[in-house]
Amino acid sequence: MKIAVIGAGKIGQAVGRPLVRAGHEVAYGIRNPEHKPDVEGAAVTDIAAALKDADAVLLAVLGLAVPEVTEAHAAALEGKVVIDASNRFDGGPFNNFAAVNAAGGRYVRAFNILGHEVIAEPEVDGVIADQYFSAEDEQARAVGAQLIRDVGLRPVYVGGNDTLDILDAIVKLVIALAFKQDWGRVIAFRTLGGSNS
């Protein structure tokens, strides 16, 4: 699968490395050529070129920057599976569903709950961590689940776009534990019981 990773920060690199190892063709789309990712086997180009032939897109830029990116590249995003790994902290929803939807992307919410440390090393205390995710349509759900598995996490499907507030609430839980209760950044989840990914 051809995957465009928009953003070369810690999350973008943590997701991109195992995707390359899994055999995906990964291209990083970046605005500043000085901020190249350290991901062997991945192409590095500008955002438009990375999006051109991509089958799926991972948005791994700052949450507040997503609307600017999606508006500027709406034509290239239309109809593509777009995975929102960003979090907004400006008082509204943490997710960028509205911006991706306005651009015509097929929205998946994933890779926004776990820290880059857990994404890079998904086994915590001998257990593979869960990656909760949402997607509205079946193809987007299948792509999201596959990429989560290829990163090394266990996909746990929460539901469609009506469950985005649940995923946002889990981010709040992680923040409370990591920073207010001083647990640190390596926090992961494992859901016991049935499986629906």
Side-chain angles (χ1 to χ4, degrees):
M1 192 181 308
K2 293 183 178 179
I3 302 164
V5 179
I6 309 305
K10 292 178 179 178
I11 293 291
Q13 292 186 62
V15 174
R17 285 187 190 102
L19 292 181
V20 170
R21 289 193 300 266
H24 297 288
E25 188 176 325
V26 175
Y28 281 86
I30 59 174
R31 290 189 277 198
N32 186 343
E34 294 178 5
H35 295 151
K36 289 186 178 180
D38 180 22
V39 179
E40 189 175 336
V44 180
T45 184
D46 61 38
I47 295 173
L51 292 173
K52 185 178 179 194
D53 296 318
D55 300 307
V57 179
L58 176 74
L59 294 174
V61 296
L62 292 175
L64 292 175
V66 169
E68 177 187 342
V69 171
T70 57
E71 185 175 347
H73 300 280
L77 292 170
E78 186 172 1
K80 284 187 167 66
V81 173
V82 179
I83 301 166
D84 179 13
S86 67
N87 285 309
R88 297 178 62 112
F89 297 106
D90 59 345
F94 287 179
N95 65 77
N96 268 295
F97 167 73
V100 174
N101 189 53
R106 299 164 70 192
Y107 190 78
V108 177
R109 183 71 162 144
F111 301 116
N112 66 301
I113 293 168
L114 303 173
H116 65 90
E117 301 91 342
V118 177
I119 294 171
E121 298 289 339
E123 187 174 307
V124 179
D125 294 333
V127 178
I128 298 298
D130 284 345
Q131 173 63 72
Y132 300 120
F133 78 107
S134 67
E136 191 66 29
D137 71 71
E138 286 300 316
Q139 184 186 7
R141 175 181 172 179
V143 169
Q146 182 62 54
L147 296 182
I148 291 166
R149 277 192 292 272
D150 289 347
V151 166
L153 295 157
R154 186 177 82 143
V156 176
Y157 179 66
V158 177
N161 295 332
D162 60 334
T163 64
L164 293 174
D165 58 336
I166 296 170
L167 298 182
D168 284 357
I170 298 171
V171 175
K172 293 179 183 179
L173 173 61
V174 170
I175 291 169
L177 293 175
F179 302 110
K180 295 180 181 177
Q181 300 302 320
D182 295 323
W183 281 34
R185 293 182 45 87
V186 180
I187 294 175
F189 301 92
R190 183 66 181 198
T191 311
L192 304 178
S195 175
N196 68 352
S197 61

